[in-house]
Amino acid sequence: MKITGYLSEFSLGEMFRFLAQGRKTGCLTIKPVETGEEMTALPLASAYYTFFHHGNIVAATTSLDHQELQRLIAKWGWLRISTIQKLAQLCPPRTALGLFLKTQGALDGEQLQLLFKQQVLTPIPHLFRIKDGWFEFDAHHPLPYAEMTGLTASPMEITLAGLRLLRDWTPLLDKLPLPSSTVVSLLQGELPHHLSRSEWQVWEHIDGTLSIEQIAARLNQSVLDIQKICFRFMVVGMVEEVAAIAPVDSMATSPDHEMDALPITEISHSFLQGLLTFLKGKKEAA
Amino acid sequence: MEIMRIVVTGPVGAGKSSFIRTISEIDVVDTDRKATDETAAWKTKTTVAMDFGRLHFGKDVALHLYGTPGQERFDFMWDMLIRKAHAFILLVSSHRPQDFRAARRILAFMRHRASIPMLIGLSHADNPAAWPMDAILLALGYPSSHHRPPAVSVNALEPASVVNALAALIEAYARDKWQNSTDSIKMHSFSGVM
């Protein structure tokens, strides 16, 4: 399966939710077409590759040469590249190189965590600053075991971190929940994420009845700030937006004014059988 | 007169008006007026009230089809339509991921107002940029294949395709209505239902 699009159409947060909820395995490629805020924490590259395994992020690179993890280890001064390559020849297939190096005693757990932080946890949230980019998710892309530490990160946590870092929300303004909408919790049980103070305040007001603008008024905050927080909750699957009914538009007219007075009647068995027979005949005639 | 009312909904440009026009036995009553918002940029006219189509298939039996307003605002018309409907079809363009968000919003609106059978119709599935059906259902908020509404590919301009989608919805309605009953309905076989 390959799916493509632009982040201006389907945002990175929505894409991460898609991959996490679908427990997808494969490679997400992002090629920026418009960069946004200064992205010093993100290496300059023409493409960013994020690898998923059963919905979790397992590696991130800016090339497909399978040598970035080696270079990173060498950069820290822990092992020479020649040593890593010798050891890598002994690495069993479908085994993360980082984990293998740990089992060989060449690296320890703390070093793996530092590598994963530099490879995934620090740079990926900054991908959210890309204003627009082309993306492709390839479910048939093989996992890059030579780039994997063996550690994983939740795309939802990364999304929360990325959206909290974001200063310029312009590309996401048309994706925010409407001020008149209510947001309804989708959670049963405990909160799956640690919330900031402002997020927690909003969360406490999400009762399925208050609109976003009403929550903003109660917290004495701007509607936009509440929209941003609710958007964060939406893309990590904590809530869903339920649109409100807009005020009556006097220009709209109905061709069937009597519809509102119609009763809701049960449809009979014979009606459905007759309709299906009719449709079958219509299909054969088409 | 026994009437079944079906609502045809979906984001702007998904093919709602075409769907009703393709199957209706009467000239579709529409109350189109010139669009005034961003919709106008790519569609000069969009449905702001609703489309209405009808299909008589016997004495005193008819199917009524109502198309929701195309613009993304939920007004009294939406509320009235969904409260009176027996079932609904959500049409989504397979090649426009930017519409999936609006489709999710519509689904949530519907789900919170009525518990009626539904079908997802995916239009433009032959477009090179179209997402696969499974991916679209996931993007619409259905991660599990066990708890998904039925879905079909639809060409809103082809009568056979529209008939197929309607039949799939009617079958879903029948299953929903009689799932706990021994009085099951004999189904005709229509292909293409997921």
Side-chain angles (χ1 to χ4, degrees):
Chain A
M1 180 191 74
K2 268 190 185 181
I3 54 172
T4 59
Y6 285 88
L7 297 176
S8 55
E9 302 170 342
F10 200 69
S11 68
L12 188 57
E14 291 167 307
M15 195 61 203
F16 274 17
R17 176 181 62 190
F18 170 86
L19 298 171
Q21 290 186 339
R23 298 179 53 76
K24 298 291 184 189
T25 297
C27 175
L28 175 67
T29 302
I30 295 168
K31 293 185 176 177
V33 293
E34 188 182 355
T35 51
E37 304 162 23
E38 196 179 336
M39 299 196 295
T40 49
L42 203 60
L44 194 63
S46 58
Y48 298 92
Y49 306 97
T50 309
F51 298 92
F52 290 79
H53 185 235
H54 294 324
N56 284 315
I57 298 173
V58 292
T61 64
T62 54
S63 74
L64 295 174
D65 67 0
H66 299 274
Q67 292 178 12
E68 287 195 17
L69 186 61
Q70 295 179 27
R71 288 194 288 268
L72 204 55
I73 295 168
K75 193 176 155 192
W76 281 91
W78 294 329
L79 294 169
R80 289 197 186 93
I81 284 187
S82 56
T83 309
I84 300 168
Q85 287 175 343
K86 272 184 195 167
L87 286 168
Q89 288 174 358
L90 305 171
C91 185
R94 302 171 66 83
T95 302
L97 177 63
L99 203 57
F100 176 71
L101 293 174
K102 187 185 166 202
T103 59
Q104 297 298 304
L107 293 177
D108 61 31
E110 196 176 327
Q111 287 170 321
L112 280 190
Q113 287 186 1
L114 281 170
L115 288 169
F116 191 65
K117 186 179 176 189
Q118 189 162 358
Q119 185 197 49
V120 172
L121 299 179
T122 301
I124 300 301
H126 291 271
L127 286 178
F128 285 80
R129 295 186 174 188
I130 295 172
K131 275 192 171 174
D132 196 10
W134 175 86
F135 69 79
E136 176 189 84
F137 178 73
D138 181 0
H140 298 298
H141 195 288
L143 282 176
Y145 291 97
E147 302 285 20
M148 290 160 55
T149 56
L151 301 177
T152 64
S154 152
M156 305 303 202
E157 290 291 345
I158 297 280
T159 297
L160 271 181
L163 292 176
R164 284 169 184 155
L165 281 173
L166 198 61
R167 292 188 196 90
D168 181 5
W169 279 71
T170 312
L172 293 175
L173 287 180
D174 64 338
K175 301 168 185 64
L176 300 180
L178 303 171
S180 59
S181 294
T182 55
V183 279
V184 178
S185 171
L186 296 173
L187 297 183
Q188 292 170 336
E190 291 182 9
L191 275 174
H193 308 288
H194 180 74
L195 302 183
S196 68
R197 186 172 164 270
S198 57
E199 288 167 347
W200 183 253
Q201 284 180 327
V202 175
W203 178 252
E204 287 188 313
H205 284 80
I206 290 176
D207 61 0
T209 62
L210 291 178
S211 68
I212 287 174
E213 49 200 0
Q214 285 171 327
I215 295 174
R218 289 202 180 186
L219 293 174
N220 199 24
Q221 290 185 33
S222 77
V223 172
L224 182 60
D225 284 343
I226 306 301
Q227 284 177 286
K228 290 175 186 174
I229 289 173
C230 288
F231 178 76
R232 294 207 282 265
F233 291 167
M234 282 165 61
V235 292
V236 299
M238 288 168 58
V239 301
E240 71 175 347
E241 176 190 6
V242 180
I245 294 173
V248 173
D249 179 351
S250 59
M251 289 177 72
T253 55
S254 164
D256 186 359
H257 289 294
E258 293 176 357
M259 187 182 177
D260 203 27
L262 289 174
I264 304 174
T265 51
E266 284 288 306
I267 298 300
S268 67
H269 193 283
S270 60
F271 180 100
L272 295 175
Q273 278 191 321
L275 179 54
L276 283 169
T277 303
F278 174 77
L279 290 173
K280 192 179 181 189
K282 210 164 170 59
K283 188 182 179 186
E284 285 166 358
Chain B
M1 183 80 171
E2 189 171 4
I3 297 171
M4 185 177 194
R5 288 184 289 275
I6 288 177
V7 165
V8 182
T9 187
V12 179
K16 303 183 292 290
S17 298
S18 300
F19 185 98
I20 296 175
R21 284 195 175 95
T22 297
I23 195 72
S24 178
E25 67 186 15
I26 58 167
D27 283 342
V28 169
V29 180
D30 75 49
T31 50
D32 275 9
R33 70 172 191 214
K34 224 167 167 67
T36 53
D37 62 4
E38 72 275 6
T39 307
W42 67 285
K43 191 178 174 192
T44 54
K45 233 169 60 161
T46 192
T47 316
V48 291
M50 65 176 168
D51 291 320
F52 172 71
R54 194 180 66 203
L55 208 55
H56 267 114
F57 59 96
K59 191 172 183 295
D60 291 335
V61 281
L63 188 68
H64 285 186
L65 297 162
Y66 296 88
T68 55
Q71 289 161 314
E72 203 187 322
R73 62 194 290 275
F74 301 89
D75 59 16
F76 72 99
M77 198 72 79
W78 279 84
D79 194 40
M80 185 182 75
L81 286 174
I82 195 63
R83 280 190 291 107
K84 300 294 178 181
H86 292 98
F88 75 94
I89 294 177
L90 174 77
L91 291 179
V92 186
S93 296
S94 304
H95 67 310
R96 289 176 54 84
Q98 62 268 47
D99 287 352
F100 300 163
R101 194 176 312 107
R104 271 184 94 119
R105 193 178 272 164
I106 292 169
L107 278 171
F109 181 87
M110 297 298 211
R111 196 167 48 242
H112 282 268
R113 275 170 176 76
S115 179
I116 56 175
M118 65 168 291
L119 173 101
I120 295 177
L122 302 177
S123 58
H124 307 99
D126 55 346
N127 187 292
W131 285 31
M133 182 182 284
D134 194 56
I136 297 173
L137 292 175
L138 177 55
L140 294 182
Y142 297 104
S144 166
S145 58
H146 301 296
H147 299 99
R148 286 175 173 172
V152 293
S153 291
V154 180
N155 182 339
L157 299 172
E158 279 187 10
S161 180
V162 172
V163 165
N164 196 56
L166 273 179
L169 180 64
I170 304 305
E171 287 174 352
Y173 179 88
R175 274 196 304 274
D176 185 76
K177 187 167 175 170
W178 286 292
Q179 63 181 350
N180 296 319
S181 165
T182 52
D183 183 22
S184 63
I185 189 169
K186 186 186 173 195
M187 297 292 173
H188 293 271
S189 174
F190 281 88
S191 60
V193 184
M194 188 186 159

